[in-house]
Amino acid sequence: MSTLARTADRGTIVRVVCVREWRESLGNRLLVGMTVFPPLVILATGIAAVATAALVPPSEKDVAALYAASPAVIGLDPKDAVQGIIATYFLILFMLIPTVVPLTIAIYSVIGEKSARTLEPLLATPVRVGELLLAKSLASAIPAVIVTWLAYGIYLSAVSMLGSAAAVRAVTAPRWILAIIVMVPLLTLLSVNLGILISTRVNDVRVAQQVGGLVVVPVVGIGILQVTGRVVLNNESFVGTAIFLLVCDVLVFLLARVAFQRENILSRWR
Amino acid sequence: MGVVLRTERLVKRFERLTAVEDLDLEVREGEVFGFLGPNGAGKTTTLRLLCALIAPTSGTAEVAGFRLGAQDEQIRASVGILTEQPGLYERQSAEDNLLFFAALFGLSPKVARAQTERYLRLMGLWDRRTEAVATFSRGMKQKMAIARAAIHEPRIIFLDEPTTGLDPDAARTVREFIAQIRGEGRTVFLCTHNLDEADRLCDRIAFFRRSVIRIDTPAHLRAELYGHATEFRILPSPRPEHLVTVQAVDGVTGAQLENGSIVVSSADPFLVNPQVIRALVGAGAEVAYVTERKASLEDVYLRIVEGM
């Protein structure tokens, strides 16, 4: 008696699990909202702030405070300088979106399966733990990265149309473009993998989110340090930071893979 | 019939608790093998072991020709399991649920679609294939979960309490399905508390509590424990001399009056019953009918498992 089962192509397994995760997420309005709403709010607020700064000149008091806080902009036209600083601050928020937003999705991707009792049938297939976790990691990370990139693209266009030369220079600085293109996916993966690591060991969504909120702080810190110039992104340090994040991504993923014990999950989950 | 599943001294311990102890088992290709035991006996743990979901503490097993521990992925590809809970993706349609699992088992999209249609039709769910599983009743979900376990045509299909909580109609569909896959030569490993179901469906039954207490066919188990009994209904009712007549027949090992009948036990009813009938008629008894009296599997179960 033969079985129809064949060893599926490993890539196919990852793709199939990934697509299923997206379908599941798309059916959950709360999750969709949590992915799309924060970038939309930040985008709308950012564009409105730059537009307002372009329309309403800063007061003398504002300019004095600005020069005191950022001596580097002394000598620039105050209106330009204010727009440049506002544009930069919103870019920082864009860097933080993908570290926070996909965390809930990542945590839910394992704990949700535990509580819905769907994990046992899934683990009874020839899927390997590494493939399962990779699929879940990518399924959480890819939408967050795409949404961030889209939001950044729209922000870039809007600032280019509405903002001053200083604002345009700020948002199109190579450091920022590279950060958005390279660092955003790496930071997202780190956050997501931490979320998955937590959810393999915790059985309660609320506990996982609380732990996740703490664990993600260093990730957010890395983002903040980077964008505020504490980590100077010249070519050398940029590559160094990227490699550091990549190593962290891989290490956390491997740790999650080790922590994901089929036996514990099946026999201790009640 | 070849052996499709064999375990030798299989043990599973969870810290201080021994869930499975020295399990020796042989299941033949194409049979429906019943696995009966009380709650907490370790049946589900055994199923998880045999499906390579958890690792044994010691002992060896060969499932569908693959070694447990060394070829777990191949085992998982060769078996199907119905878990205690249906565990379906509730937001997704019945069709999408099955297509997803078919893809994980390496079925090509064309084969996956054909298999999905086949099993949804078999389970009477084809007309609701595009509906979210969340809208399904408990019975429909259970049938979906069984279809999922069989979608890749596994050599062995493990069913953990497949008809628990189902209405009679859904339970019958599941029993018909089990009969059908057995007809296709596949092996069914059936964990159940439904003794009537086990009696009707299983070729052999194992009584289990941490390890196998007894394996045999349902008929042998009943016969060995209770012998062969036959009920002779006498009109209007049997008289004491009828009982004496029956007791005098060669080969009768026991006879008693019971609710208007004489219940006769013998080692070989085919030989003894015609003599009993002749003797009763000769004694003037009006024999209305003769019925084989079966001990229920429940009696056997209670005596073997609960009587321990």
Side-chain angles (χ1 to χ4, degrees):
Chain A
M1 182 49 61
S2 65
T3 169
L4 290 176
R6 301 281 176 269
T7 305
D9 169 47
R10 307 333 293 191
T12 303
I13 287 183
V14 172
R15 179 180 55 79
V16 165
V17 175
C18 214
V19 169
R20 197 212 64 75
E21 291 282 330
W22 286 333
R23 282 188 175 169
E24 188 78 10
S25 298
L26 282 173
N28 187 333
R29 287 180 192 169
L30 188 64
L31 280 180
V32 172
M34 285 175 72
T35 306
V36 174
F37 191 65
L40 277 180
V41 169
I42 291 170
L43 179 64
T45 316
I47 293 172
V50 171
T52 307
L55 293 172
V56 183
S59 66
E60 284 184 13
K61 193 178 161 191
D62 290 338
V63 173
L66 173 69
Y67 287 163
S70 308
V73 298
I74 292 172
L76 286 179
D77 173 59
K79 200 170 158 184
D80 279 4
V82 167
Q83 284 184 51
I85 285 174
I86 288 173
T88 306
Y89 278 135
F90 276 94
L91 283 175
I92 295 171
L93 292 177
F94 277 113
M95 289 292 289
L96 299 184
I97 292 169
T99 62
V100 179
V101 168
L103 187 66
T104 307
I105 300 172
I107 285 171
Y108 189 77
S109 72
V110 176
I111 294 187
E113 294 236 31
K114 282 184 188 176
S115 56
R117 309 279 176 174
T118 51
L119 207 46
E120 186 169 3
L122 188 57
L123 293 175
T125 68
V127 67
R128 296 173 184 162
V129 168
E131 292 162 357
L132 183 63
L133 295 187
L134 178 64
K136 286 185 176 293
S137 174
L138 291 176
S140 304
I142 289 172
V145 171
I146 288 175
V147 165
T148 306
W149 282 350
L150 276 176
Y152 175 70
I154 295 168
Y155 185 66
L156 199 75
S157 308
V159 171
S160 299
M161 285 189 288
L162 303 170
S164 66
V168 175
R169 270 199 308 278
V171 295
T172 56
R175 183 182 77 169
W176 274 112
I177 293 175
L178 271 174
I180 295 287
I181 292 173
V182 179
M183 295 298 182
V184 161
L186 293 174
L187 284 169
T188 307
L189 275 175
L190 188 53
S191 170
V192 162
N193 290 344
L194 282 168
I196 288 175
L197 171 63
I198 294 161
S199 63
T200 60
R201 306 303 291 178
V202 175
N203 288 340
D204 189 304
V205 178
R206 290 163 298 184
V207 174
Q209 279 179 330
Q210 282 178 331
V211 178
L214 289 174
V215 170
V216 87
V217 167
V219 183
V220 174
I222 292 170
I224 291 173
L225 286 174
Q226 181 190 304
V227 297
T228 53
R230 304 285 178 186
V231 177
V232 181
L233 281 177
N234 56 35
N235 288 346
E236 204 171 285
S237 61
F238 181 86
V239 172
T241 309
I243 290 171
F244 172 73
L245 284 174
L246 190 62
V247 170
C248 287
D249 287 344
V250 173
L251 282 178
V252 174
F253 179 79
L254 292 176
L255 202 59
R257 193 163 170 259
V258 171
F260 189 97
Q261 300 278 337
R262 281 172 191 264
E263 189 156 327
N264 285 350
I265 286 172
L266 293 178
S267 55
R268 292 190 183 165
W269 175 259
R270 289 284 180 271
Chain B
M1 256 192 318
V3 173
V4 74
L5 188 160
R6 178 183 286 119
T7 67
E8 282 174 26
R9 301 184 69 80
L10 203 63
V11 175
K12 181 62 193 176
R13 289 198 188 92
F14 296 104
E15 294 167 3
R16 271 179 259 168
L17 173 78
T18 302
V20 178
E21 192 167 21
D22 290 336
L23 177 66
D24 291 315
L25 207 60
E26 273 194 1
V27 179
R28 299 167 194 151
E29 183 107 49
E31 76 173 330
V32 178
F33 187 84
F35 203 58
L36 275 62
N39 290 329
K43 299 190 298 294
T44 300
T45 301
T46 305
L47 247 63
R48 285 173 173 169
L49 279 170
L50 298 177
C51 292
L53 280 165
I54 58 175
T57 308
S58 64
T60 59
E62 199 176 291
V63 182
F66 299 106
R67 301 285 294 177
L68 189 64
Q71 296 173 296
D72 287 355
E73 223 170 90
Q74 289 93 325
I75 289 175
R76 288 199 289 271
S78 306
V79 305
I81 181 171
L82 169 73
T83 48
E84 275 177 303
Q85 301 284 331
L88 297 158
Y89 295 109
E90 303 246 333
R91 285 198 182 91
Q92 292 181 15
S93 69
E95 197 170 27
D96 285 344
N97 265 277
L98 293 189
L99 286 172
F100 171 64
F101 279 90
L104 293 183
F105 281 110
L107 273 61
S108 68
K110 191 180 167 190
V111 175
R113 292 208 169 277
Q115 286 293 99
T116 298
E117 181 173 351
R118 181 187 171 211
Y119 280 101
L120 285 177
R121 284 192 188 281
L122 207 60
M123 292 295 174
L125 296 170
W126 178 246
D127 291 342
R128 301 191 63 176
R129 63 190 178 278
T130 56
E131 293 175 31
V133 170
T135 63
F136 285 10
S137 67
R138 161 118 176 87
M140 290 161 78
K141 286 178 185 173
Q142 186 77 338
K143 288 196 280 187
M144 269 292 299
I146 293 171
R148 179 187 58 199
I151 192 88
H152 57 298
E153 307 290 4
R155 283 186 71 188
I156 312 173
I157 184 161
F158 293 88
L159 302 174
D160 197 355
E161 306 289 351
T163 55
T164 301
L166 300 190
D167 63 51
D169 191 35
R172 190 176 62 182
T173 305
V174 171
R175 282 196 290 271
E176 285 170 357
F177 168 77
I178 292 171
Q180 178 168 341
I181 55 175
R182 177 227 229 157
E184 292 170 1
R186 300 185 189 283
T187 307
V188 179
F189 193 101
L190 179 67
C191 267
T192 182
H193 278 126
N194 188 331
L195 298 170
D196 176 54
E197 183 174 280
D199 202 4
R200 279 196 273 170
L201 291 172
C202 297
D203 297 300
R204 290 191 304 146
I205 286 171
F207 290 112
F208 177 82
R209 182 185 268 170
R210 285 210 304 273
S211 63
V212 169
I213 300 165
R214 181 75 193 273
I215 300 180
D216 214 327
T217 63
H220 276 148
L221 285 166
R222 278 195 305 267
E224 190 175 315
L225 287 172
Y226 289 90
H228 296 284
T230 309
E231 180 182 339
F232 295 83
R233 179 78 172 90
I234 310 289
L235 291 177
S237 60
R239 296 198 299 268
E241 58 268 32
H242 292 153
L243 184 61
V244 174
T245 303
V246 170
Q247 283 167 336
V249 173
D250 276 352
V252 170
T253 54
Q256 62 191 46
L257 293 172
E258 205 178 289
N259 298 330
S261 298
I262 300 175
V263 178
V264 178
S265 299
S266 68
D268 189 350
F270 286 95
L271 189 71
V272 173
N273 284 353
Q275 295 178 51
V276 172
I277 294 169
R278 273 196 296 273
L280 281 170
V281 171
E286 296 281 336
V287 181
Y289 57 81
V290 180
T291 316
E292 182 189 7
R293 177 172 274 198
K294 289 181 178 176
S296 72
L297 197 60
E298 189 176 333
D299 297 331
V300 180
Y301 174 87
L302 290 171
R303 188 154 149 190
I304 291 182
V305 178
E306 302 296 345
M308 286 196 69

